[in-house]
Amino acid sequence: MRICSAPGKMILFGEHAVVFGKPALAMAIDLRVTASLRVSDQYSVNGYPMNARHHAYISAALDEAWNGPPVSIITKSEIPSGSGLGSSAAVTVSAVGALLAERGQFDGESVARKAFEVEYAVQGRASPTDTSVSTHGNGVLVCPDRMDGFLWRIEKGSQHWNVHHCEVRKLTFVVGFTGVHAPTGPLVQKVKDFVESNPEGRRAVDRIGEIVLDGVDALAQADKPRLGSLMRENHSLLCTLGVGHTSIDRLVESCGDKSYGAKLTGAGGGGSMIALTDDPKGVSEAISGAGGTPIVVTVGGRGAVVEQ
Ligand code: MEV
């Protein structure tokens, strides 16, 4: 039996724009997926015969990282699926990690590369943000240029992303899950169509790129008011890109006076929002009162770990 676990993530700044090669800043959260693998007489996932449509990420992970005998894989997740908190990336990273560990080839960079290929294949378009932060843990800054803290460079077609370790400060974030499950692939496609057909979309993507770099600076100084104001601006640009949702806006507005700032996190279209606050209890109550599920998260924990 081989067991690998990997964390979910929250994107502080830069989702969607990063798919166009702009920077993004993401942090691991303390909700994890565990993949347990054993060699078997047929391929199965969670007790069912493997089906490439129903088990798209695991099936693609096997194509990418396995050439041995059939295996049975069981996944256990603490992350709501389609919540914007990186559940598919964590499933992918934990499965790829377990497969590579079984082959005696587990290392962070290989896991991150293969997990990115899996997400790209399943979603049709992706950046390496979610899979890299789930692999590395801590925080990661993804950007076009190579900077201090460089981890790995990932290329796809004409695009490239440099992935860096980013120090995570002790800040308190509350996640608010709307309960609306939104798959990432169609949202990424919707933004692509908008950006390619509307100059306002291109301007929003460019401005989000600037916000991320300002955000890195504000994070290094733990400047909460500045982080909050950048989060608010990033949120409104994501709405311009068409990935906002009334359920998200309700939660973002509910914690306005109790947080430094709030924004949707991840692909949007529902999913989750995050608020930066010194009053996690007040923000959690506000999110519950607005119909969401609050989760006080600890950010910056361990990445992918071979447990056994
Ligand atoms: C989804 O968590 C983040 C997106 O930027 C997609 C991606 O980076 O692959 C929307």
Side-chain angles (χ1 to χ4, degrees):
M1 169 92 93
R2 190 68 63 184
I3 301 177
C4 178
S5 74
K9 62 86 193 26
M10 58 166 238
I11 298 185
L12 182 54
F13 299 114
E15 51 274 270
H16 286 291
V18 68
V19 180
F20 296 85
K22 298 290 172 190
L25 183 53
M27 298 168 177
I29 58 173
D30 55 341
L31 298 176
R32 298 182 76 84
V33 171
T34 302
S36 311
L37 170 145
R38 69 166 80 242
V39 170
S40 174
D41 50 5
Q42 64 160 343
Y43 283 101
S44 71
V45 179
N46 295 332
Y48 294 96
M50 195 181 68
N51 172 313
R53 203 156 64 83
H54 289 126
H55 309 119
Y57 290 94
I58 304 256
S59 161
L62 285 159
D63 290 344
E64 188 61 38
W66 189 244
N67 58 5
V71 287
S72 138
I73 296 182
I74 308 262
T75 59
K76 286 207 170 64
S77 178
E78 300 169 343
I79 312 166
S81 75
S83 63
L85 300 175
S87 71
S88 3
V91 164
T92 305
V93 167
S94 58
V96 167
L99 290 164
L100 289 186
E102 184 67 13
R103 292 170 59 176
Q105 291 170 2
F106 179 96
D107 74 89
E109 182 168 342
S110 305
V111 173
R113 282 186 188 288
K114 291 188 184 299
F116 165 69
E117 291 296 336
V118 169
E119 274 220 330
Y120 199 98
V122 175
Q123 287 168 200
R125 197 168 147 80
S127 81
T129 311
D130 295 10
T131 38
S132 280
V133 73
S134 181
T135 304
H136 177 64
N138 304 275
V140 302
L141 170 65
V142 180
C143 60
D145 302 320
R146 187 171 168 151
M147 299 161 72
D148 288 350
F150 175 79
L151 293 169
W152 46 74
R153 175 184 166 101
I154 291 190
E155 295 176 9
K156 191 80 192 168
S158 60
Q159 285 191 289
H160 71 269
W161 297 267
N162 287 299
V163 180
H164 305 81
H165 168 84
C166 177
E167 225 29 73
V168 173
R169 307 294 297 245
K170 276 220 165 314
L171 297 170
T172 305
F173 292 95
V174 181
V175 171
F177 176 39
T178 60
V180 178
H181 299 265
T184 302
L187 289 155
V188 168
Q189 185 60 42
K190 181 178 177 188
V191 172
K192 178 173 186 277
D193 294 343
F194 180 65
V195 170
E196 284 177 358
S197 63
N198 192 322
E200 207 189 335
R202 171 50 64 186
R203 276 196 295 276
V205 163
D206 289 346
R207 177 62 195 141
I208 291 173
E210 293 167 1
I211 287 176
V212 177
L213 296 180
D214 282 357
V216 170
D217 205 45
L219 184 67
Q221 294 166 32
D223 183 342
K224 294 188 259 187
R226 194 157 141 234
L227 283 167
S229 120
L230 292 167
M231 287 169 75
R232 284 194 296 276
E233 187 184 353
N234 195 161
H235 178 73
S236 102
L237 291 162
L238 286 164
C239 294
T240 302
L241 290 176
V243 295
H245 194 268
T246 47
S247 62
I248 283 278
D249 283 338
R250 247 197 320 273
L251 304 193
V252 165
E253 278 156 28
S254 75
C255 44
D257 58 341
K258 295 175 194 67
S259 71
Y260 292 94
K263 66 178 272 290
L264 76 77
T265 189
S272 300
M273 47 73 73
I274 50 171
L276 173 62
T277 184
D278 294 330
D279 177 13
K281 188 165 173 289
V283 165
S284 297
E285 284 166 5
I287 288 171
S288 296
T293 305
I295 313 168
V296 182
V297 288
T298 302
V299 288
R302 301 181 310 168
V305 176
V306 179
E307 313 270 1
Q308 183 180 314

